[in-house]
Amino acid sequence: MEQKYSIDEFINQTKQEDKGQGYFELETPRMLEVNLQGQVWAKAGAMVSYRGQIKFVREGVLEHGIGKLFKKALSGEGTSLMKANGNGKLYLADQGKKISILKLQSDSIYVNGNDLLAFEPGLDWDIKMMRKVAGMLSGGLFNVRIEGTGLVAITSHYEPLTLLVNSGQPVYTDPNATVAWSGNLQPEFVTDVSLKTFLGRGSGESVQMKFEGEGFVVVQPFEEVYFSQQS
């Protein structure tokens, strides 16, 4: 029995292992390993550990032009991205959230800004503002549209659920529980006054995202609220 809780046993149970999965590797469901040979975009502050020669650079102010700079200023701290450059192993995590890796193949996807962990540098990206709901929601006011071919790592609180959107059958979601959706969908925001009265929990709950068309939307069993609501 002495061996059961020994340090050696703990190390054996938890040590890092190379799974040979390539550029992005899930070391655990909540820890992403990036086998870095060059560059990767990652959420600022997501670095847990690294080995090798890696330098970190916050997103350059003018790197993406005035348009993105303006949107970044509007959207608050959640949009902060960093670039990791070099060769080595980089470990990323975000508040213990579950990580999902997606391989885009000439696809596009929208990801809530709070739920984007990392993506390959060859992908095109742009910050999209949700101006219509800025006064209604306490968090998640922006999302990032990613397009092209390459890997994207997204996070969710607990297990994500993907809902298929079919023509004529719209899907409604709570914005604070919405993680990502297919790049061809343009959600609109609708207000349900009766829901607000029923829940009685401030201004955000009466606003829903309405998805129409053909595609998918990813939700999580958690309301992600990063900025305190003004009472």
Side-chain angles (χ1 to χ4, degrees):
M1 284 293 290
E2 293 96 31
Q3 282 300 106
K4 184 173 181 184
Y5 297 115
S6 70
I7 288 177
D8 286 344
E9 171 67 10
F10 175 76
I11 291 172
N12 280 330
Q13 291 290 326
T14 61
K15 69 181 177 183
Q16 179 264 332
E17 294 178 2
D18 283 325
K19 299 182 174 69
Q21 295 170 348
Y23 181 60
F24 280 5
E25 196 168 292
L26 279 181
E27 274 298 314
T28 76
R30 300 168 195 281
M31 185 83 73
L32 178 70
E33 177 186 284
V34 182
N35 291 298
L36 191 61
Q37 292 181 308
Q39 183 178 303
V40 67
W41 283 104
K43 184 172 184 175
M47 188 276 286
V48 172
S49 177
Y50 70 89
R51 63 173 73 190
Q53 300 298 314
I54 300 176
K55 297 288 185 194
F56 300 92
V57 183
R58 288 293 273 243
E59 181 195 350
V61 168
L62 294 175
E63 184 156 349
H64 296 283
I66 296 298
K68 282 192 184 179
L69 171 64
F70 175 65
K71 284 185 280 192
K72 181 171 180 176
L74 280 176
S75 54
E77 63 193 52
T79 48
S80 296
L81 291 169
M82 65 180 182
K83 271 191 299 193
N85 296 295
N87 292 284
K89 290 184 181 295
L90 171 62
Y91 297 92
L92 302 172
D94 185 15
Q95 299 185 329
K97 290 160 67 178
K98 186 177 175 68
I99 300 167
S100 301
I101 299 173
L102 304 174
K103 174 70 185 282
L104 299 191
Q105 295 178 301
S106 300
D107 301 313
S108 60
I109 189 171
Y110 286 92
V111 183
N112 183 300
N114 293 322
D115 303 320
L116 179 61
L117 182 63
F119 57 95
E120 285 197 69
L123 291 161
D124 290 326
W125 63 277
D126 193 14
I127 296 168
K128 301 288 184 182
M129 292 300 299
M130 301 184 191
R131 285 187 183 80
K132 291 180 184 173
V133 289
M136 307 179 203
L137 291 178
S138 53
L141 303 184
F142 70 97
N143 50 71
V144 182
R145 189 178 195 273
I146 300 176
E147 185 172 17
T149 297
L151 294 168
V152 181
I154 65 174
T155 59
S156 59
H157 285 278
Y158 312 105
E159 284 66 34
L161 174 68
T162 300
L163 304 168
L164 296 181
V165 182
N166 296 310
S167 185
Q169 298 177 308
V171 172
Y172 297 84
T173 66
D174 179 333
N176 290 320
T178 306
V179 173
W181 59 94
S182 48
N184 60 309
L185 295 180
Q186 297 288 335
E188 62 176 300
F189 290 87
V190 295
T191 304
D192 187 330
V193 175
S194 64
L195 185 63
K196 180 178 180 180
T197 307
F198 176 69
L199 288 167
R201 283 173 50 205
S203 61
E205 282 72 18
S206 63
V207 180
Q208 301 157 18
M209 295 177 82
K210 179 183 180 182
F211 293 89
E212 285 189 290
E214 297 282 342
F216 64 87
V217 56
V218 183
V219 294
Q220 62 186 0
F222 186 94
E223 286 188 59
E224 199 159 1
V225 180
Y226 276 91
F227 308 103
S228 58
Q229 252 175 5
Q230 302 299 313
S231 55

